[in-house]
Amino acid sequence: HGTPLRERTGMDLVEHILTTEDMMAVLRVSRRTLDEYLAKQKLPKHFRIGRRVYWHREVVEAWLRQLGEAGDA
């Protein structure tokens, strides 16, 4: 019982996962645009659980940094 609930439920890991809704907010795009980006493979590596799509926060942050650096060139 001494282990905090956060560790028992894997909440630390969950905080590092972005949902479709999170990505829409990060990119400031609609669901339709996000779906188009997915279809055209314009987004960073993702994974699926059932029909839902998820991204690792670290992967998205690195991808955004890379886009920013390319824009600075």
Side-chain angles (χ1 to χ4, degrees), residues 14-26 31 34 47 52-57 60:
V14 171
E15 289 176 4
H16 293 281
I17 301 299
L18 297 177
T19 64
T20 298
E21 292 77 16
D22 294 330
M23 285 295 281
M24 288 168 47
V26 166
R31 176 61 185 256
L34 191 72
F47 63 98
R52 297 198 47 106
V53 179
Y54 300 92
W55 290 263
H56 290 281
R57 181 180 302 275
V60 172

Short mmCIF file of all heavy atoms in Angstrom, two decimals, residues 14-26 31 34 47 52-57 60:
data_model
loop_
_atom_site.label_atom_id
_atom_site.label_comp_id
_atom_site.label_asym_id
_atom_site.label_seq_id
_atom_site.Cartn_x
_atom_site.Cartn_y
_atom_site.Cartn_z
N VAL A 14 1.30 7.61 -18.84
CA VAL A 14 0.15 8.21 -19.53
C VAL A 14 0.39 9.69 -19.79
O VAL A 14 0.00 10.21 -20.83
CB VAL A 14 -1.15 7.98 -18.72
CG1 VAL A 14 -2.30 8.77 -19.31
CG2 VAL A 14 -1.48 6.50 -18.68
N GLU A 15 1.06 10.37 -18.87
CA GLU A 15 1.32 11.80 -19.06
C GLU A 15 2.24 12.05 -20.24
O GLU A 15 2.31 13.16 -20.75
CB GLU A 15 1.92 12.40 -17.79
CG GLU A 15 0.90 12.51 -16.67
CD GLU A 15 1.50 13.01 -15.38
OE1 GLU A 15 2.70 13.35 -15.36
OE2 GLU A 15 0.76 13.05 -14.39
N HIS A 16 2.95 11.03 -20.70
CA HIS A 16 3.87 11.19 -21.82
C HIS A 16 3.24 10.78 -23.14
O HIS A 16 3.92 10.73 -24.16
CB HIS A 16 5.14 10.36 -21.57
CG HIS A 16 5.94 10.89 -20.43
ND1 HIS A 16 6.76 11.98 -20.52
CD2 HIS A 16 6.01 10.48 -19.13
CE1 HIS A 16 7.31 12.23 -19.35
NE2 HIS A 16 6.88 11.33 -18.49
N ILE A 17 1.94 10.50 -23.12
CA ILE A 17 1.23 10.07 -24.32
C ILE A 17 0.28 11.19 -24.75
O ILE A 17 -0.43 11.76 -23.94
CB ILE A 17 0.41 8.78 -24.05
CG1 ILE A 17 1.32 7.65 -23.58
CG2 ILE A 17 -0.41 8.38 -25.26
CD1 ILE A 17 2.38 7.25 -24.56
N LEU A 18 0.29 11.50 -26.05
CA LEU A 18 -0.62 12.51 -26.60
C LEU A 18 -1.72 11.81 -27.39
O LEU A 18 -1.45 10.90 -28.18
CB LEU A 18 0.13 13.47 -27.52
CG LEU A 18 1.22 14.32 -26.87
CD1 LEU A 18 1.92 15.16 -27.91
CD2 LEU A 18 0.64 15.20 -25.78
N THR A 19 -2.94 12.27 -27.20
CA THR A 19 -4.09 11.74 -27.93
C THR A 19 -4.30 12.56 -29.20
O THR A 19 -3.65 13.58 -29.42
CB THR A 19 -5.35 11.83 -27.07
OG1 THR A 19 -5.64 13.22 -26.84
CG2 THR A 19 -5.21 11.09 -25.75
N THR A 20 -5.24 12.12 -30.00
CA THR A 20 -5.61 12.88 -31.19
C THR A 20 -6.04 14.29 -30.80
O THR A 20 -5.65 15.27 -31.44
CB THR A 20 -6.76 12.15 -31.94
OG1 THR A 20 -6.27 10.88 -32.35
CG2 THR A 20 -7.23 12.93 -33.13
N GLU A 21 -6.82 14.39 -29.75
CA GLU A 21 -7.29 15.70 -29.28
C GLU A 21 -6.12 16.57 -28.85
O GLU A 21 -6.10 17.77 -29.11
CB GLU A 21 -8.29 15.52 -28.13
CG GLU A 21 -9.60 14.89 -28.55
CD GLU A 21 -9.53 13.37 -28.76
OE1 GLU A 21 -8.57 12.72 -28.30
OE2 GLU A 21 -10.45 12.85 -29.42
N ASP A 22 -5.14 15.98 -28.17
CA ASP A 22 -3.94 16.73 -27.78
C ASP A 22 -3.20 17.25 -29.00
O ASP A 22 -2.78 18.41 -29.03
CB ASP A 22 -2.98 15.84 -26.97
CG ASP A 22 -3.54 15.41 -25.63
OD1 ASP A 22 -4.35 16.15 -25.03
OD2 ASP A 22 -3.15 14.31 -25.17
N MET A 23 -3.05 16.40 -30.01
CA MET A 23 -2.34 16.81 -31.22
C MET A 23 -3.08 17.92 -31.96
O MET A 23 -2.47 18.84 -32.50
CB MET A 23 -2.11 15.62 -32.15
CG MET A 23 -1.01 14.70 -31.68
SD MET A 23 0.62 15.47 -31.68
CE MET A 23 1.03 15.38 -33.41
N MET A 24 -4.40 17.85 -31.98
CA MET A 24 -5.19 18.92 -32.59
C MET A 24 -4.91 20.24 -31.89
O MET A 24 -4.75 21.27 -32.54
CB MET A 24 -6.69 18.58 -32.51
CG MET A 24 -7.11 17.46 -33.44
SD MET A 24 -8.77 16.80 -33.12
CE MET A 24 -9.75 18.26 -32.96
N ALA A 25 -4.82 20.21 -30.57
CA ALA A 25 -4.54 21.43 -29.79
C ALA A 25 -3.12 21.92 -30.02
O ALA A 25 -2.89 23.11 -30.22
CB ALA A 25 -4.80 21.16 -28.31
N VAL A 26 -2.15 21.00 -30.01
CA VAL A 26 -0.75 21.37 -30.20
C VAL A 26 -0.55 22.03 -31.57
O VAL A 26 0.12 23.07 -31.69
CB VAL A 26 0.17 20.13 -30.06
CG1 VAL A 26 1.57 20.41 -30.58
CG2 VAL A 26 0.21 19.66 -28.63
N ARG A 31 -9.88 18.22 -36.68
CA ARG A 31 -9.77 16.76 -36.78
C ARG A 31 -9.57 16.35 -38.23
O ARG A 31 -8.77 15.46 -38.54
CB ARG A 31 -11.05 16.13 -36.19
CG ARG A 31 -11.12 14.61 -36.31
CD ARG A 31 -9.95 13.98 -35.54
NE ARG A 31 -9.92 12.56 -35.73
CZ ARG A 31 -10.32 11.67 -34.83
NH1 ARG A 31 -10.81 12.08 -33.68
NH2 ARG A 31 -10.22 10.40 -35.08
N LEU A 34 -5.99 17.00 -39.21
CA LEU A 34 -5.11 16.02 -38.57
C LEU A 34 -5.22 14.68 -39.29
O LEU A 34 -4.19 14.03 -39.55
CB LEU A 34 -5.47 15.86 -37.09
CG LEU A 34 -4.45 15.08 -36.28
CD1 LEU A 34 -3.18 15.90 -36.08
CD2 LEU A 34 -5.01 14.66 -34.96
N PHE A 47 1.43 5.45 -32.75
CA PHE A 47 1.04 4.06 -32.54
C PHE A 47 -0.46 4.02 -32.30
O PHE A 47 -1.08 5.03 -32.00
CB PHE A 47 1.82 3.42 -31.39
CG PHE A 47 1.59 4.04 -30.04
CD1 PHE A 47 0.69 3.47 -29.15
CD2 PHE A 47 2.28 5.17 -29.65
CE1 PHE A 47 0.49 4.02 -27.90
CE2 PHE A 47 2.08 5.74 -28.40
CZ PHE A 47 1.18 5.16 -27.52
N ARG A 52 -7.76 3.97 -32.05
CA ARG A 52 -7.25 5.27 -31.58
C ARG A 52 -5.76 5.42 -31.88
O ARG A 52 -5.01 4.45 -31.85
CB ARG A 52 -7.51 5.42 -30.09
CG ARG A 52 -9.02 5.44 -29.82
CD ARG A 52 -9.39 6.00 -28.49
NE ARG A 52 -8.74 7.24 -28.15
CZ ARG A 52 -9.33 8.43 -28.16
NH1 ARG A 52 -10.58 8.55 -28.51
NH2 ARG A 52 -8.67 9.51 -27.80
N VAL A 53 -5.36 6.66 -32.16
CA VAL A 53 -3.97 6.98 -32.51
C VAL A 53 -3.36 7.78 -31.37
O VAL A 53 -4.00 8.67 -30.80
CB VAL A 53 -3.92 7.81 -33.82
CG1 VAL A 53 -2.49 8.16 -34.18
CG2 VAL A 53 -4.61 7.06 -34.95
N TYR A 54 -2.12 7.45 -31.04
CA TYR A 54 -1.41 8.13 -29.96
C TYR A 54 0.01 8.47 -30.40
O TYR A 54 0.55 7.82 -31.29
CB TYR A 54 -1.33 7.23 -28.71
CG TYR A 54 -2.67 6.85 -28.16
CD1 TYR A 54 -3.30 5.68 -28.56
CD2 TYR A 54 -3.31 7.66 -27.23
CE1 TYR A 54 -4.54 5.32 -28.05
CE2 TYR A 54 -4.55 7.31 -26.71
CZ TYR A 54 -5.16 6.14 -27.13
OH TYR A 54 -6.38 5.80 -26.63
N TRP A 55 0.59 9.47 -29.73
CA TRP A 55 1.98 9.86 -29.97
C TRP A 55 2.70 9.94 -28.64
O TRP A 55 2.12 10.31 -27.63
CB TRP A 55 2.03 11.24 -30.62
CG TRP A 55 1.54 11.30 -32.01
CD1 TRP A 55 2.29 11.24 -33.15
CD2 TRP A 55 0.19 11.44 -32.46
NE1 TRP A 55 1.49 11.33 -34.26
CE2 TRP A 55 0.19 11.45 -33.86
CE3 TRP A 55 -1.05 11.54 -31.80
CZ2 TRP A 55 -0.97 11.58 -34.62
CZ3 TRP A 55 -2.19 11.65 -32.55
CH2 TRP A 55 -2.15 11.68 -33.94
N HIS A 56 3.98 9.62 -28.66
CA HIS A 56 4.82 9.84 -27.49
C HIS A 56 5.19 11.32 -27.47
O HIS A 56 5.65 11.86 -28.48
CB HIS A 56 6.09 8.98 -27.55
CG HIS A 56 5.83 7.52 -27.36
ND1 HIS A 56 5.61 6.96 -26.12
CD2 HIS A 56 5.71 6.51 -28.25
CE1 HIS A 56 5.38 5.68 -26.25
NE2 HIS A 56 5.44 5.38 -27.53
N ARG A 57 4.98 11.96 -26.34
CA ARG A 57 5.23 13.40 -26.20
C ARG A 57 6.65 13.77 -26.64
O ARG A 57 6.86 14.75 -27.35
CB ARG A 57 4.99 13.85 -24.76
CG ARG A 57 5.20 15.33 -24.54
CD ARG A 57 4.96 15.73 -23.09
NE ARG A 57 3.63 15.39 -22.64
CZ ARG A 57 2.54 16.15 -22.82
NH1 ARG A 57 2.65 17.29 -23.46
NH2 ARG A 57 1.37 15.76 -22.37
N VAL A 60 6.99 13.93 -30.41
CA VAL A 60 6.34 15.12 -30.97
C VAL A 60 7.19 16.36 -30.69
O VAL A 60 7.38 17.20 -31.57
CB VAL A 60 4.92 15.27 -30.40
CG1 VAL A 60 4.31 16.60 -30.82
CG2 VAL A 60 4.04 14.11 -30.86
#
